[in-house]
């Protein structure tokens, strides 16, 4: 079943890979971009582009109302880097979640990272020291989504790599898991959570062949 999907964060990284995956599956995708830089590449994939800033609530209300079709699902990969001054992880996602509620969206999929919320214990002290400022903001975004009343799925990837997909990406509810995963595999997993029983779940995403440490864990069945 195809859906009308609003995607924030499509200009690069996991968001760009999600755009590729969604259009390949035949979904109608509208992407929010802050600038014109990535418009041509996304439109060549069949993505509709709306220019706006997630840090500006009015931009998001306009964007969600401007889509050619009523939005079924919002997917957000909005996030910043540890060195960023103003991090969009919480305010940008909060604005988007609030706009989704106002627009009557059915489902919201938020991509954060392992180490957020109750998965913080999966990180080494050294990694936590670097990432903690961003993880605090991501946790606030997750909590705002959980409390919003929207049907949600939260996907927390491990360390991200840019190589082609391996097909070995898995999801798990096990908060101890830590490892790496290719961005294209994260995108595949995110796309598969749209029409599955992943509603109202928080799931870590790793490549089963790139775990840090070996222990048994149960994978989440997306079928």
């Amino acid at each position: 079943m195809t859906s009308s999907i609003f995607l924030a964060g499509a200009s690069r990284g996991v968001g760009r890979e999600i755009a590729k995956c969604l259009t390949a599956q035949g979904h109608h995708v509208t992407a929010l971009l802050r600038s014109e830089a990535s418009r041509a590449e996304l439109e060549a994939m069949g993505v509709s582009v709306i220019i706006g800033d997630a840090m500006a609530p009015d931009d998001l209300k306009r964007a969600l109302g401007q889509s050619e079709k009523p939005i079924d699902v919002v997917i957000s990969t909005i996030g910043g880097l540890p060195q960023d001054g103003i991090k969009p992880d919480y305010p940008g996602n909060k604005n988007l979640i609030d706009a989704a509620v106002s627009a009557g969206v059915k489902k919201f999929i938020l991509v954060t990272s392992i180490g957020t919320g109750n998965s913080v214990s999966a990180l080494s002290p050294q990694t936590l020291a670097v990432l903690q400022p961003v993880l605090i903001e991501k946790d606030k975004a997750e909590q705002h989504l959980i409390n919003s009343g929207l049907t949600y799925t939260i996907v927390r990837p491990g360390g991200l790599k840019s190589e082609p997909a391996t097909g070995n990406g898995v999801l798990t509810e096990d908060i101890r898991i830590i490892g790496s995963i290719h961005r294209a595999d994260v995108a595949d997993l995110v796309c598969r959570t749209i029409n599955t029983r992943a509603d109202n779940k928080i799931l870590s995403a790793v490549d089963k062949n790139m775990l840090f440490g070996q222990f048994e864990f149960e994978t989440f069945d997306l079928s």
Side-chain angles (χ1 to χ4, degrees):
M1 184 178 74
T2 60
S3 300
S4 177
I5 297 172
F6 187 90
L7 175 61
S11 62
R12 59 185 174 85
V14 172
R16 175 63 63 87
E17 295 295 332
I18 291 173
K20 293 177 186 175
C21 178
L22 292 172
T23 53
Q25 292 177 357
H27 295 291
H28 181 272
V29 183
T30 301
L32 178 75
L33 297 179
R34 279 188 296 175
S35 74
E36 298 281 350
S38 302
R39 178 192 283 270
E41 190 174 347
L42 287 166
E43 288 183 339
M45 292 181 206
V47 175
S48 300
V49 170
I50 295 176
I51 301 299
D53 189 347
M55 300 293 273
D58 288 345
D59 282 9
L60 294 176
K61 290 177 184 176
R62 173 183 55 80
L64 284 169
Q66 193 177 323
S67 172
E68 295 174 19
K69 298 181 180 180
I71 300 296
D72 299 311
V73 182
V74 171
I75 301 176
S76 176
T77 66
I78 294 171
L81 300 171
Q83 63 268 29
D84 290 346
I86 298 175
K87 298 173 178 63
D89 300 75
Y90 174 58
N93 282 308
K94 177 186 182 298
N95 292 338
L96 186 54
I97 291 161
D98 292 345
V101 170
S102 296
V105 169
K106 297 175 184 176
K107 183 172 181 176
F108 196 111
I109 300 172
L110 176 63
V111 179
T112 59
S113 71
I114 288 177
T116 306
N118 63 357
S119 66
V120 67
S121 60
L123 300 184
S124 69
Q126 296 86 348
T127 303
L128 180 59
V130 174
L131 297 182
Q132 191 166 35
V134 170
L135 295 174
I136 289 170
E137 297 301 300
K138 290 184 185 298
D139 181 51
K140 288 160 64 176
E142 287 188 358
Q143 293 305 313
H144 191 73
L145 176 57
I146 291 166
N147 294 326
S148 70
L150 290 166
T151 298
Y152 66 86
T153 300
I154 295 170
V155 177
R156 296 169 171 170
L160 295 168
K161 296 179 177 289
S162 295
E163 289 86 349
T166 67
N168 295 317
V170 294
L171 296 172
T172 181
E173 293 183 88
D174 194 323
I175 59 173
R176 303 170 300 162
I177 204 72
I178 183 71
S180 297
I181 185 168
H182 294 185
R183 288 177 171 84
D185 288 305
V186 176
D188 174 67
L189 292 170
V190 168
C191 291
R192 289 168 62 195
T193 65
I194 293 171
N195 293 317
T196 71
R197 62 186 188 88
D199 288 356
N200 300 327
K201 294 289 186 181
I202 303 175
L203 302 163
S204 294
V206 291
D207 188 302
K208 62 186 179 183
N209 294 331
M210 292 192 287
L211 301 175
F212 303 162
Q214 299 295 323
F215 58 87
E216 295 295 320
F217 69 98
E218 187 175 345
T219 60
F220 187 83
D221 184 8
L222 286 170
S223 61

